[in-house]
Amino acid sequence: MNTPLTVVILAAGLGTRMKSRQAKVLHRAGGRTLVEHVVNTALQLAAPERLFVVVGHQADEVRAAVGTPGVGFIEQKEQKGTGHAVMVGRAALAGLGGNLLILYGDSPLLRAETLRRLVAIKEESGAAGVLLSAPMDDPTGYGRVIRDAQGGVQAVVEQKAGTPEQLAIREANMGIYCYGADCFWKHVDEIQPNNPPREYYLTDMVEILRRSGHAVAAMTIDDAREALGINTRIELAEVDGLLRERKRSALMLAGVTIENPPTVTIDDQVEIGMDTVVGPFVQILGATRIGENCRIGAGAVIDNCQLADGVKINPYTVISESRMERGAEAGPFSRMRPGAVMEEGSHIGNFVELKKTRLGAGSKAQHLAYLGDSTIGAKVNIGAGTITCNYDGRLKHATAIGDGAFVGSNSTLVAPIEIGPGAYIAAGSVITDPVPADALALGRSRQTMKEDWARKRRELGRKKTV
Ligand code: UD1
Ligand code: CA
Protein backbone atom coordinates (compact mmCIF):
# COMPACT_ATOMS: atom_id res chain seq x y z
CA MET A 1 0.00 0.00 0.00
CA ASN A 2 1.73 3.15 -1.19
CA THR A 3 -0.97 5.71 -0.56
CA PRO A 4 -0.47 7.11 2.94
CA LEU A 5 -3.26 6.25 5.36
CA THR A 6 -4.60 8.41 8.17
CA VAL A 7 -6.96 6.85 10.71
CA VAL A 8 -9.43 8.84 12.76
CA ILE A 9 -11.44 7.27 15.55
CA LEU A 10 -14.57 9.05 16.76
CA ALA A 11 -14.82 8.79 20.52
CA ALA A 12 -16.28 12.07 21.74
CA GLY A 13 -19.88 11.03 22.40
CA LEU A 14 -21.35 10.46 25.83
CA GLY A 15 -23.45 7.53 24.66
CA THR A 16 -26.84 8.56 26.02
CA ARG A 17 -28.24 5.09 25.50
CA MET A 18 -25.69 3.64 27.93
CA LYS A 19 -27.41 5.58 30.76
CA SER A 20 -24.07 6.28 32.36
CA ARG A 21 -22.07 9.16 33.78
CA GLN A 22 -19.05 7.64 32.07
CA ALA A 23 -18.27 8.24 28.40
CA LYS A 24 -19.29 5.22 26.34
CA VAL A 25 -15.83 4.43 24.98
CA LEU A 26 -14.50 4.12 28.56
CA HIS A 27 -16.78 1.21 29.29
CA ARG A 28 -14.95 -2.09 29.24
CA ALA A 29 -15.37 -5.27 27.25
CA GLY A 30 -12.99 -8.21 27.38
CA GLY A 31 -11.03 -6.42 30.09
CA ARG A 32 -10.14 -3.29 28.09
CA THR A 33 -11.89 0.00 27.38
CA LEU A 34 -13.75 0.10 24.08
CA VAL A 35 -11.51 2.86 22.74
CA GLU A 36 -8.35 0.86 23.55
CA HIS A 37 -9.62 -2.04 21.45
CA VAL A 38 -10.23 0.18 18.42
CA VAL A 39 -6.92 2.04 18.85
CA ASN A 40 -4.98 -1.22 19.11
CA THR A 41 -6.60 -2.50 15.94
CA ALA A 42 -5.92 0.77 14.11
CA LEU A 43 -2.28 0.70 15.17
CA GLN A 44 -1.88 -2.41 13.06
CA LEU A 45 -2.55 -0.25 10.00
CA ALA A 46 -1.09 3.13 10.81
CA ALA A 47 1.76 4.56 12.84
CA PRO A 48 0.69 6.47 15.96
CA GLU A 49 1.61 9.74 14.19
CA ARG A 50 -1.12 9.10 11.62
CA LEU A 51 -3.72 7.98 14.14
CA PHE A 52 -6.12 10.52 15.65
CA VAL A 53 -8.81 10.12 18.26
CA VAL A 54 -11.64 12.65 18.48
CA VAL A 55 -12.36 13.22 22.17
CA GLY A 56 -15.03 15.25 23.94
CA HIS A 57 -16.82 13.72 26.87
CA GLN A 58 -14.28 12.99 29.60
CA ALA A 59 -11.55 13.86 27.15
CA ASP A 60 -8.76 13.49 29.71
CA GLU A 61 -9.87 10.04 30.78
CA VAL A 62 -10.20 8.92 27.17
CA ARG A 63 -6.70 10.26 26.41
CA ALA A 64 -5.35 8.34 29.39
CA ALA A 65 -7.15 5.15 28.33
CA VAL A 66 -5.51 5.26 24.89
CA GLY A 67 -2.08 4.98 26.44
CA THR A 68 0.02 4.71 23.25
CA PRO A 69 2.44 7.61 22.91
CA GLY A 70 2.32 9.60 19.70
CA VAL A 71 -1.39 9.21 19.02
CA GLY A 72 -3.00 12.55 18.16
CA PHE A 73 -6.12 13.90 19.83
CA ILE A 74 -8.71 16.24 18.39
CA GLU A 75 -11.16 17.91 20.71
CA GLN A 76 -14.82 18.10 19.78
CA LYS A 77 -16.18 20.45 22.44
CA GLU A 78 -19.84 20.04 21.55
CA GLN A 79 -21.10 16.75 20.20
CA LYS A 80 -23.09 17.68 17.15
CA GLY A 81 -22.88 14.35 15.39
CA THR A 82 -20.43 12.03 13.68
CA GLY A 83 -19.99 14.37 10.68
CA HIS A 84 -19.20 17.29 12.96
CA ALA A 85 -16.71 15.11 14.87
CA VAL A 86 -14.63 14.71 11.70
CA MET A 87 -15.10 18.34 10.61
CA VAL A 88 -13.46 19.64 13.80
CA GLY A 89 -10.35 17.71 12.81
CA ARG A 90 -9.88 19.61 9.57
CA ALA A 91 -6.85 21.60 10.74
CA ALA A 92 -5.00 18.50 11.89
CA LEU A 93 -6.12 16.11 9.16
CA ALA A 94 -6.85 17.84 5.88
CA GLY A 95 -3.21 18.45 4.98
CA LEU A 96 -2.23 14.80 5.33
CA GLY A 97 -3.62 13.69 1.96
CA GLY A 98 -3.78 10.03 1.00
CA ASN A 99 -6.65 7.95 2.33
CA LEU A 100 -8.73 8.68 5.38
CA LEU A 101 -10.03 5.70 7.34
CA ILE A 102 -12.79 6.66 9.77
CA LEU A 103 -13.77 4.34 12.61
CA TYR A 104 -16.16 4.67 15.54
CA GLY A 105 -14.78 4.13 19.01
CA ASP A 106 -17.69 1.90 19.99
CA SER A 107 -16.91 -1.10 17.70
CA PRO A 108 -14.27 -3.08 19.59
CA LEU A 109 -14.61 -6.36 17.70
CA LEU A 110 -13.24 -5.00 14.43
CA ARG A 111 -10.27 -6.89 12.98
CA ALA A 112 -7.31 -5.23 11.31
CA GLU A 113 -7.66 -7.68 8.43
CA THR A 114 -11.12 -6.34 7.58
CA LEU A 115 -9.83 -2.76 7.61
CA ARG A 116 -6.94 -3.70 5.31
CA ARG A 117 -9.38 -5.19 2.84
CA LEU A 118 -11.53 -2.08 2.99
CA VAL A 119 -8.55 0.14 2.21
CA ALA A 120 -7.47 -2.19 -0.60
CA ILE A 121 -10.93 -2.02 -2.17
CA LYS A 122 -10.79 1.78 -2.01
CA GLU A 123 -7.45 1.65 -3.84
CA GLU A 124 -8.46 -0.88 -6.47
CA SER A 125 -12.00 0.33 -7.19
CA GLY A 126 -11.07 3.93 -7.84
CA ALA A 127 -14.19 4.95 -5.88
CA ALA A 128 -14.14 8.16 -3.86
CA GLY A 129 -14.96 6.12 -0.80
CA VAL A 130 -15.86 2.66 0.48
CA LEU A 131 -18.04 1.85 3.43
CA LEU A 132 -18.41 -1.39 5.32
CA SER A 133 -21.87 -2.96 5.37
CA ALA A 134 -23.44 -6.20 6.54
CA PRO A 135 -26.84 -7.82 6.37
CA MET A 136 -28.49 -7.90 9.79
CA ASP A 137 -31.53 -9.81 11.00
CA ASP A 138 -32.46 -6.80 13.09
CA PRO A 139 -30.73 -3.63 11.90
CA THR A 140 -32.71 -1.37 14.25
CA GLY A 141 -30.57 1.62 15.22
CA TYR A 142 -28.16 1.27 12.32
CA GLY A 143 -28.07 3.36 9.18
CA ARG A 144 -29.47 1.50 6.13
CA VAL A 145 -27.56 1.27 2.87
CA ILE A 146 -29.72 2.46 -0.02
CA ARG A 147 -28.76 1.09 -3.43
CA ASP A 148 -29.81 2.16 -6.90
CA ALA A 149 -31.25 -0.10 -9.60
CA GLN A 150 -27.73 -1.15 -10.66
CA GLY A 151 -26.83 -2.10 -7.10
CA GLY A 152 -24.57 0.93 -6.59
CA VAL A 153 -24.51 2.57 -3.18
CA GLN A 154 -26.65 5.68 -3.26
CA ALA A 155 -27.04 6.83 0.31
CA VAL A 156 -27.11 5.83 3.96
CA VAL A 157 -30.31 6.63 5.77
CA GLU A 158 -30.36 6.84 9.54
CA GLN A 159 -32.93 5.07 11.69
CA LYS A 160 -34.46 8.37 12.83
CA ALA A 161 -34.78 9.70 9.28
CA GLY A 162 -35.79 6.60 7.33
CA THR A 163 -39.12 5.92 5.65
CA PRO A 164 -40.80 2.58 6.48
CA GLU A 165 -39.58 1.14 3.15
CA GLN A 166 -36.01 2.27 3.84
CA LEU A 167 -36.13 0.89 7.37
CA ALA A 168 -37.19 -2.48 5.96
CA ILE A 169 -33.74 -2.74 4.31
CA ARG A 170 -31.53 -5.19 6.17
CA GLU A 171 -28.17 -4.05 4.82
CA ALA A 172 -26.71 -1.98 7.66
CA ASN A 173 -23.94 0.61 7.66
CA MET A 174 -21.22 -0.57 10.03
CA GLY A 175 -19.76 2.91 10.57
CA ILE A 176 -16.39 2.28 8.96
CA TYR A 177 -15.29 4.23 5.92
CA CYS A 178 -12.27 4.80 3.76
CA TYR A 179 -12.32 8.02 1.74
CA GLY A 180 -9.82 9.69 -0.53
CA ALA A 181 -8.80 12.48 1.81
CA ASP A 182 -8.75 15.39 -0.66
CA CYS A 183 -12.17 14.59 -2.06
CA PHE A 184 -13.56 14.11 1.43
CA TRP A 185 -12.32 17.47 2.74
CA LYS A 186 -13.52 19.22 -0.39
CA HIS A 187 -17.11 18.15 0.23
CA VAL A 188 -17.39 17.68 3.98
CA ASP A 189 -18.94 21.12 4.58
CA GLU A 190 -21.94 20.06 2.53
CA ILE A 191 -23.09 17.96 5.48
CA GLN A 192 -26.00 19.85 7.04
CA PRO A 193 -27.95 19.12 10.21
CA ASN A 194 -31.24 18.76 8.36
CA ASN A 195 -32.61 15.79 10.27
CA PRO A 196 -34.81 15.38 13.37
CA PRO A 197 -32.04 15.52 16.02
CA ARG A 198 -30.28 18.34 14.10
CA GLU A 199 -26.99 16.46 13.93
CA TYR A 200 -24.28 16.49 11.30
CA TYR A 201 -24.44 12.93 10.02
CA LEU A 202 -21.18 11.58 8.61
CA THR A 203 -23.32 9.14 6.69
CA ASP A 204 -24.59 12.01 4.50
CA MET A 205 -21.19 11.99 2.77
CA VAL A 206 -22.29 9.06 0.64
CA GLU A 207 -25.15 10.96 -0.98
CA ILE A 208 -23.09 14.16 -1.18
CA LEU A 209 -20.30 12.46 -3.12
CA ARG A 210 -22.78 10.69 -5.36
CA ARG A 211 -24.48 13.98 -6.17
CA SER A 212 -21.20 15.47 -7.28
CA GLY A 213 -20.56 12.56 -9.58
CA HIS A 214 -18.32 10.34 -7.47
CA ALA A 215 -18.84 6.67 -6.82
CA VAL A 216 -19.02 5.21 -3.33
CA ALA A 217 -18.58 1.46 -2.99
CA ALA A 218 -19.58 -0.91 -0.23
CA MET A 219 -17.61 -3.81 1.12
CA THR A 220 -20.08 -6.29 2.56
CA ILE A 221 -19.16 -8.72 5.31
CA ASP A 222 -21.37 -11.70 6.14
CA ASP A 223 -21.12 -11.51 9.87
CA ALA A 224 -22.23 -8.14 11.24
CA ARG A 225 -21.05 -9.13 14.70
CA GLU A 226 -17.52 -8.08 13.87
CA ALA A 227 -18.58 -4.47 13.49
CA LEU A 228 -21.19 -4.43 16.22
CA GLY A 229 -21.43 -0.87 17.54
CA ILE A 230 -22.18 -0.69 21.21
CA ASN A 231 -25.03 1.63 22.11
CA THR A 232 -26.58 -0.04 25.17
CA ARG A 233 -25.37 -2.15 28.06
CA ILE A 234 -27.06 -5.13 26.46
CA GLU A 235 -24.78 -4.75 23.44
CA LEU A 236 -21.83 -4.17 25.78
CA ALA A 237 -22.54 -7.53 27.43
CA GLU A 238 -22.88 -9.18 24.00
CA VAL A 239 -19.54 -7.84 22.82
CA ASP A 240 -17.88 -8.68 26.12
CA GLY A 241 -19.20 -12.22 25.72
CA LEU A 242 -17.76 -12.49 22.20
CA LEU A 243 -14.36 -11.13 23.26
CA ARG A 244 -14.25 -13.54 26.19
CA GLU A 245 -15.14 -16.40 23.88
CA ARG A 246 -12.35 -15.41 21.47
CA LYS A 247 -9.85 -15.35 24.34
CA ARG A 248 -10.94 -18.71 25.74
CA SER A 249 -10.79 -20.30 22.30
CA ALA A 250 -7.27 -18.97 21.69
CA LEU A 251 -6.11 -20.36 25.04
CA MET A 252 -7.75 -23.73 24.50
CA LEU A 253 -6.15 -24.02 21.07
CA ALA A 254 -2.83 -23.25 22.75
CA GLY A 255 -3.19 -26.15 25.19
CA VAL A 256 -5.11 -24.83 28.20
CA THR A 257 -8.03 -26.89 29.51
CA ILE A 258 -11.04 -24.79 30.47
CA GLU A 259 -13.89 -26.51 32.25
CA ASN A 260 -17.36 -25.18 31.50
CA PRO A 261 -15.90 -22.38 29.33
CA PRO A 262 -18.91 -20.03 29.17
CA THR A 263 -18.59 -19.43 32.93
CA VAL A 264 -14.92 -18.45 32.78
CA THR A 265 -13.77 -14.81 32.38
CA ILE A 266 -10.25 -14.18 31.13
CA ASP A 267 -8.92 -10.73 30.22
CA ASP A 268 -7.25 -10.01 26.94
CA GLN A 269 -3.66 -9.67 28.16
CA VAL A 270 -3.65 -12.82 30.30
CA GLU A 271 -1.10 -15.53 29.40
CA ILE A 272 -1.53 -19.15 30.46
CA GLY A 273 0.87 -22.05 29.86
CA MET A 274 0.21 -25.49 28.45
CA ASP A 275 -1.65 -28.17 30.40
CA THR A 276 -2.94 -25.74 32.96
CA VAL A 277 -6.52 -26.54 33.94
CA VAL A 278 -8.95 -23.73 34.68
CA GLY A 279 -12.09 -24.68 36.59
CA PRO A 280 -15.58 -23.26 36.22
CA PHE A 281 -16.50 -19.69 37.27
CA VAL A 282 -12.86 -18.59 37.42
CA GLN A 283 -11.88 -14.98 36.66
CA ILE A 284 -8.33 -14.28 35.49
CA LEU A 285 -7.81 -10.56 35.08
CA GLY A 286 -5.35 -7.82 34.16
CA ALA A 287 -1.82 -8.70 33.15
CA THR A 288 -1.84 -12.08 34.91
CA ARG A 289 0.69 -14.67 33.74
CA ILE A 290 0.18 -18.32 34.65
CA GLY A 291 2.70 -21.06 33.94
CA GLU A 292 2.31 -24.63 32.74
CA ASN A 293 0.64 -27.45 34.65
CA CYS A 294 -1.20 -25.21 37.06
CA ARG A 295 -4.62 -25.96 38.46
CA ILE A 296 -7.01 -23.06 39.03
CA GLY A 297 -9.97 -24.22 41.08
CA ALA A 298 -13.60 -23.20 40.70
CA GLY A 299 -14.54 -19.64 41.53
CA ALA A 300 -11.00 -18.33 41.97
CA VAL A 301 -10.34 -14.67 41.13
CA ILE A 302 -6.79 -13.84 40.02
CA ASP A 303 -5.98 -10.22 39.24
CA ASN A 304 -2.58 -9.06 37.96
CA CYS A 305 -0.61 -12.00 39.38
CA GLN A 306 2.38 -14.08 38.33
CA LEU A 307 2.04 -17.82 38.85
CA ALA A 308 4.96 -20.12 38.04
CA ASP A 309 4.61 -23.69 36.73
CA GLY A 310 2.79 -26.24 38.84
CA VAL A 311 0.98 -23.76 41.06
CA LYS A 312 -2.29 -24.91 42.57
CA ILE A 313 -5.08 -22.49 43.39
CA ASN A 314 -7.90 -24.25 45.17
CA PRO A 315 -11.52 -23.10 44.82
CA TYR A 316 -12.74 -19.65 45.87
CA THR A 317 -9.33 -18.14 46.37
CA VAL A 318 -8.95 -14.42 45.65
CA ILE A 319 -5.48 -13.09 44.83
CA SER A 320 -4.28 -9.81 43.42
CA GLU A 321 -0.95 -8.24 42.49
CA SER A 322 0.92 -11.17 44.00
CA ARG A 323 3.38 -13.81 42.92
CA MET A 324 3.51 -17.56 43.49
CA GLU A 325 6.59 -19.60 42.73
CA ARG A 326 6.77 -23.15 41.43
CA GLY A 327 4.50 -25.64 43.18
CA ALA A 328 3.02 -23.15 45.64
CA GLU A 329 -0.55 -23.82 46.71
CA ALA A 330 -3.31 -21.56 47.99
CA GLY A 331 -6.88 -22.15 49.08
CA PRO A 332 -9.60 -23.12 49.25
CA PHE A 333 -10.81 -19.70 50.47
CA SER A 334 -7.41 -17.99 50.72
CA ARG A 335 -6.75 -14.36 50.02
CA MET A 336 -3.57 -12.70 48.80
CA ARG A 337 -3.61 -8.94 48.80
CA PRO A 338 -1.11 -6.84 46.84
CA GLY A 339 2.54 -7.55 47.44
CA ALA A 340 2.29 -11.15 48.59
CA VAL A 341 4.96 -13.60 47.45
CA MET A 342 4.72 -17.34 48.03
CA GLU A 343 8.02 -19.06 47.42
CA GLU A 344 8.47 -22.53 45.99
CA GLY A 345 6.27 -25.21 47.52
CA SER A 346 4.70 -22.99 50.19
CA HIS A 347 1.06 -23.47 51.18
CA ILE A 348 -1.73 -21.36 52.52
CA GLY A 349 -5.11 -22.86 53.30
CA ASN A 350 -8.63 -21.81 54.16
CA PHE A 351 -9.18 -18.31 55.52
CA VAL A 352 -5.55 -17.33 55.39
CA GLU A 353 -4.79 -13.76 54.31
CA LEU A 354 -1.41 -12.48 53.14
CA LYS A 355 -0.62 -8.82 52.55
CA LYS A 356 2.84 -7.51 51.57
CA THR A 357 4.18 -10.75 52.94
CA ARG A 358 6.81 -13.14 51.68
CA LEU A 359 6.20 -16.74 52.68
CA GLY A 360 9.43 -18.74 52.32
CA ALA A 361 9.94 -22.00 50.45
CA GLY A 362 8.03 -24.92 51.91
CA SER A 363 6.40 -22.81 54.63
CA LYS A 364 2.81 -23.44 55.60
CA ALA A 365 -0.12 -21.51 57.05
CA GLN A 366 -2.94 -23.92 56.60
CA HIS A 367 -5.86 -22.31 58.39
CA LEU A 368 -7.24 -19.03 59.69
CA ALA A 369 -4.37 -16.57 59.78
CA TYR A 370 -3.53 -12.97 58.93
CA LEU A 371 0.06 -12.35 57.89
CA GLY A 372 0.74 -8.74 56.93
CA ASP A 373 3.99 -6.83 56.28
CA SER A 374 5.91 -9.98 57.14
CA THR A 375 8.99 -11.75 55.93
CA ILE A 376 8.73 -15.42 56.72
CA GLY A 377 11.63 -17.78 56.09
CA ALA A 378 11.70 -21.31 54.71
CA LYS A 379 9.97 -24.31 56.29
CA VAL A 380 8.09 -22.22 58.85
CA ASN A 381 4.86 -23.55 60.32
CA ILE A 382 2.23 -20.97 61.14
CA GLY A 383 -0.50 -22.42 63.34
CA ALA A 384 -4.22 -21.82 62.94
CA GLY A 385 -5.40 -18.47 64.22
CA THR A 386 -2.02 -16.71 64.05
CA ILE A 387 -2.29 -12.98 63.61
CA THR A 388 0.37 -10.38 62.92
CA CYS A 389 -0.67 -7.15 64.63
CA ASN A 390 0.95 -4.95 62.00
CA TYR A 391 -1.01 -1.76 62.60
CA ASP A 392 -0.98 0.38 65.72
CA GLY A 393 -3.70 2.72 64.53
CA ARG A 394 -1.15 5.06 62.99
CA LEU A 395 1.69 3.13 61.38
CA LYS A 396 2.32 -0.27 59.86
CA HIS A 397 5.08 -2.41 61.37
CA ALA A 398 7.03 -5.40 60.09
CA THR A 399 7.26 -8.96 61.35
CA ALA A 400 10.23 -11.23 60.57
CA ILE A 401 10.17 -14.97 61.20
CA GLY A 402 13.34 -17.02 60.64
CA ASP A 403 13.71 -20.36 58.84
CA GLY A 404 12.25 -23.41 60.51
CA ALA A 405 10.36 -21.48 63.21
CA PHE A 406 7.16 -22.97 64.62
CA VAL A 407 4.39 -20.57 65.52
CA GLY A 408 1.76 -22.28 67.68
CA SER A 409 -1.93 -21.84 67.09
CA ASN A 410 -3.66 -18.64 68.04
CA SER A 411 -0.47 -16.67 68.45
CA THR A 412 -0.62 -12.88 68.36
CA LEU A 413 2.59 -11.37 67.01
CA VAL A 414 2.74 -7.69 67.92
CA ALA A 415 4.88 -5.91 65.33
CA PRO A 416 7.53 -4.70 65.02
CA ILE A 417 8.74 -8.12 66.07
CA GLU A 418 11.42 -10.62 65.16
CA ILE A 419 11.30 -14.36 65.72
CA GLY A 420 14.62 -16.13 65.24
CA PRO A 421 15.20 -19.25 63.15
CA GLY A 422 14.17 -22.50 64.76
CA ALA A 423 12.27 -20.76 67.57
CA TYR A 424 9.02 -22.06 69.04
CA ILE A 425 6.04 -19.94 70.00
CA ALA A 426 3.69 -21.64 72.41
CA ALA A 427 0.09 -21.77 71.31
CA GLY A 428 -2.04 -18.86 72.46
CA SER A 429 0.91 -16.55 73.06
CA VAL A 430 0.91 -12.79 72.70
CA ILE A 431 4.45 -12.02 71.57
CA THR A 432 5.69 -8.49 72.17
CA ASP A 433 9.43 -9.06 72.63
CA PRO A 434 11.90 -10.49 70.12
CA VAL A 435 12.35 -14.25 70.29
CA PRO A 436 15.95 -15.45 69.84
CA ALA A 437 16.84 -18.35 67.57
CA ASP A 438 15.91 -21.79 68.88
CA ALA A 439 14.14 -20.38 71.97
CA LEU A 440 10.67 -21.24 73.25
CA ALA A 441 8.49 -18.20 73.91
CA LEU A 442 5.48 -18.56 76.19
CA GLY A 443 3.39 -15.46 76.22
CA ARG A 444 0.27 -16.51 78.05
CA SER A 445 -1.01 -16.67 81.64
CA ARG A 446 -0.60 -19.92 83.52
CA GLN A 447 -3.51 -22.27 83.76
CA THR A 448 -5.16 -22.46 87.20
CA MET A 449 -6.81 -25.64 88.41
CA LYS A 450 -9.68 -25.90 90.83
CA GLU A 451 -9.95 -29.56 91.78
CA ASP A 452 -13.49 -30.95 92.12
CA TRP A 453 -15.02 -27.60 91.27
CA ALA A 454 -17.41 -29.03 88.71
CA ARG A 455 -18.57 -31.91 90.88
CA LYS A 456 -19.26 -29.64 93.83
CA ARG A 457 -21.26 -27.33 91.65
CA ARG A 458 -23.45 -30.19 90.49
CA GLU A 459 -24.01 -31.33 94.10
CA LEU A 460 -24.99 -27.87 95.26
CA GLY A 461 -27.74 -27.99 92.69
CA ARG A 462 -29.24 -24.57 92.11
CA LYS A 463 -27.19 -22.94 94.84
CA LYS A 464 -24.45 -20.60 93.79
CA THR A 465 -20.91 -22.03 93.75
CA VAL A 466 -18.18 -20.04 95.40
C1 UD1 B 1 -23.67 5.36 13.61
C2 UD1 B 1 -24.03 5.65 12.13
C3 UD1 B 1 -24.91 4.55 11.64
C4 UD1 B 1 -24.23 3.21 11.79
C5 UD1 B 1 -23.76 2.98 13.21
C6 UD1 B 1 -22.85 1.77 13.27
C7 UD1 B 1 -24.02 8.07 11.88
C8 UD1 B 1 -24.87 9.29 11.74
N1 UD1 B 1 -24.69 6.93 12.05
O1 UD1 B 1 -24.86 5.46 14.37
O2 UD1 B 1 -25.23 4.76 10.26
O3 UD1 B 1 -25.10 2.18 11.37
O4 UD1 B 1 -23.03 4.10 13.71
O5 UD1 B 1 -22.47 1.47 14.56
O6 UD1 B 1 -22.83 8.16 11.79
N2 UD1 B 1 -19.32 10.49 18.15
C9 UD1 B 1 -18.51 11.59 18.30
N3 UD1 B 1 -19.06 12.84 18.25
C10 UD1 B 1 -20.38 13.03 18.05
C11 UD1 B 1 -21.21 11.91 17.88
C12 UD1 B 1 -20.65 10.65 17.94
O7 UD1 B 1 -17.29 11.47 18.50
O8 UD1 B 1 -20.79 14.22 18.01
C13 UD1 B 1 -18.72 9.15 18.23
C14 UD1 B 1 -19.27 8.36 19.40
O9 UD1 B 1 -18.47 8.55 20.56
C15 UD1 B 1 -19.21 6.94 18.88
C16 UD1 B 1 -19.29 7.08 17.38
O10 UD1 B 1 -19.04 8.42 17.10
O11 UD1 B 1 -18.01 6.28 19.24
C17 UD1 B 1 -20.63 6.64 16.83
O12 UD1 B 1 -21.65 7.42 17.41
P1 UD1 B 1 -23.06 6.80 17.77
O13 UD1 B 1 -23.88 7.86 18.40
O14 UD1 B 1 -22.89 5.54 18.50
O15 UD1 B 1 -23.66 6.49 16.32
P2 UD1 B 1 -24.87 5.51 15.97
O16 UD1 B 1 -26.13 6.15 16.35
O17 UD1 B 1 -24.60 4.17 16.53
CA1 CA C 1 -22.96 3.28 17.81
Side-chain angles (χ1 to χ4, degrees):
M1 189 170 44
N2 302 322
T3 316
L5 182 71
T6 304
V7 185
V8 54
I9 298 172
L10 309 190
L14 171 63
T16 320
R17 290 161 282 183
M18 292 295 278
K19 303 269 160 63
S20 175
R21 299 191 201 288
Q22 197 177 33
K24 174 163 68 178
V25 296
L26 291 173
H27 284 263
R28 302 177 88 86
R32 287 185 199 275
T33 59
L34 303 184
V35 68
E36 255 181 294
H37 281 288
V38 181
V39 166
N40 288 349
T41 306
L43 283 169
Q44 295 179 47
L45 279 90
E49 296 70 44
R50 289 195 80 105
L51 175 57
F52 294 83
V53 182
V54 180
V55 293
H57 271 283
Q58 291 163 355
D60 292 342
E61 288 87 340
V62 175
R63 277 193 187 96
V66 166
T68 312
V71 171
F73 293 94
I74 293 161
E75 193 147 348
Q76 185 195 21
K77 293 215 167 61
E78 254 185 290
Q79 284 70 52
K80 298 190 202 163
T82 48
H84 180 257
V86 189
M87 286 169 173
V88 297
R90 180 192 287 275
L93 302 169
L96 296 173
N99 284 323
L100 182 65
L101 179 64
I102 305 172
L103 314 174
Y104 294 167
D106 64 355
S107 326
L109 293 175
L110 262 185
R111 288 177 309 133
E113 187 43 42
T114 307
L115 299 179
R116 277 194 203 101
R117 272 172 53 213
L118 187 82
V119 175
I121 291 178
K122 156 75 184 56
E123 285 294 272
E124 288 153 19
S125 66
V130 184
L131 62 84
L132 190 73
S133 76
M136 292 182 88
D137 290 335
D138 178 13
T140 308
Y142 284 78
R144 310 300 205 281
V145 178
I146 314 294
R147 292 181 182 262
D148 59 24
Q150 288 74 46
V153 176
Q154 213 174 2
V156 171
V157 171
E158 289 306 298
Q159 178 80 31
K160 285 179 187 152
T163 64
E165 300 86 78
Q166 289 170 330
L167 296 181
I169 294 170
R170 288 179 43 226
E171 186 181 3
N173 167 38
M174 300 284 94
I176 294 146
Y177 323 85
C178 182
Y179 285 111
D182 294 340
C183 182
F184 180 88
W185 291 112
K186 189 168 157 216
H187 291 282
V188 75
D189 294 327
E190 293 165 41
I191 298 180
Q192 291 300 317
N194 47 13
N195 50 57
R198 306 225 30 92
E199 283 187 8
Y200 293 82
Y201 285 159
L202 179 59
T203 43
D204 287 353
M205 269 318 268
V206 175
E207 210 181 343
I208 290 168
L209 290 176
R210 275 281 296 228
R211 251 190 282 134
S212 48
H214 296 285
V216 176
M219 170 178 144
T220 307
I221 51 172
D222 300 330
D223 190 352
R225 286 190 309 177
E226 187 191 333
L228 218 139
I230 293 175
N231 295 322
T232 65
R233 300 211 192 218
I234 294 173
E235 286 157 348
L236 182 71
E238 250 171 68
V239 166
D240 182 65
L242 289 165
L243 286 166
R244 302 290 182 192
E245 194 182 313
R246 267 193 202 169
K247 179 68 184 178
R248 289 189 304 258
S249 302
L251 287 169
M252 289 190 279
L253 289 171
V256 177
T257 294
I258 301 180
E259 297 166 348
N260 199 352
T263 67
V264 172
T265 302
I266 303 178
D267 278 358
D268 212 32
Q269 302 132 276
V270 170
E271 292 170 26
I272 306 181
M274 239 194 288
D275 293 320
T276 285
V277 178
V278 177
F281 296 100
V282 166
Q283 300 201 336
I284 307 176
L285 311 173
T288 295
R289 281 207 323 271
I290 298 180
E292 298 187 2
N293 276 310
C294 295
R295 165 90 219 181
I296 313 297
V301 180
I302 303 175
D303 185 8
N304 263 310
C305 291
Q306 269 77 53
L307 273 51
D309 295 345
V311 163
K312 198 168 173 208
I313 302 281
N314 294 312
Y316 306 106
T317 292
V318 178
I319 67 177
S320 59
E321 288 164 47
S322 293
R323 189 157 65 78
M324 293 174 76
E325 294 179 358
R326 187 183 284 268
E329 180 172 346
F333 300 102
S334 299
R335 179 166 182 215
M336 292 168 72
R337 287 163 56 200
V341 178
M342 290 184 65
E343 291 183 7
E344 198 164 333
S346 58
H347 280 209
I348 60 172
N350 40 268
F351 309 109
V352 172
E353 174 180 342
L354 303 184
K355 188 219 75 176
K356 279 198 193 147
T357 283
R358 172 177 278 268
L359 188 63
S363 290
K364 292 188 168 65
Q366 296 284 39
H367 350 251
L368 301 156
Y370 170 60
L371 303 168
D373 303 304
S374 307
T375 310
I376 300 168
K379 294 225 160 47
V380 169
N381 189 82
I382 305 283
T386 297
I387 301 289
T388 53
C389 307
N390 61 327
Y391 185 50
D392 61 10
R394 223 163 45 85
L395 297 169
K396 301 279 168 66
H397 300 286
T399 297
I401 304 177
D403 293 349
F406 183 96
V407 179
S409 295
N410 224 31
S411 293
T412 301
L413 311 177
V414 182
I417 192 82
E418 235 175 282
I419 295 161
Y424 260 66
I425 308 292
S429 293
V430 177
I431 299 298
T432 51
D433 296 325
V435 180
D438 299 319
L440 167 67
L442 285 137
R444 63 191 187 209
S445 54
R446 273 189 180 277
Q447 185 171 332
T448 41
M449 295 297 296
K450 296 189 178 180
E451 299 287 343
D452 282 334
W453 181 92
R455 188 177 50 77
K456 282 181 195 153
R457 184 177 190 264
R458 277 194 301 275
E459 284 167 6
L460 279 169
R462 289 164 162 257
K463 281 193 188 162
K464 226 178 139 193
T465 39
V466 187

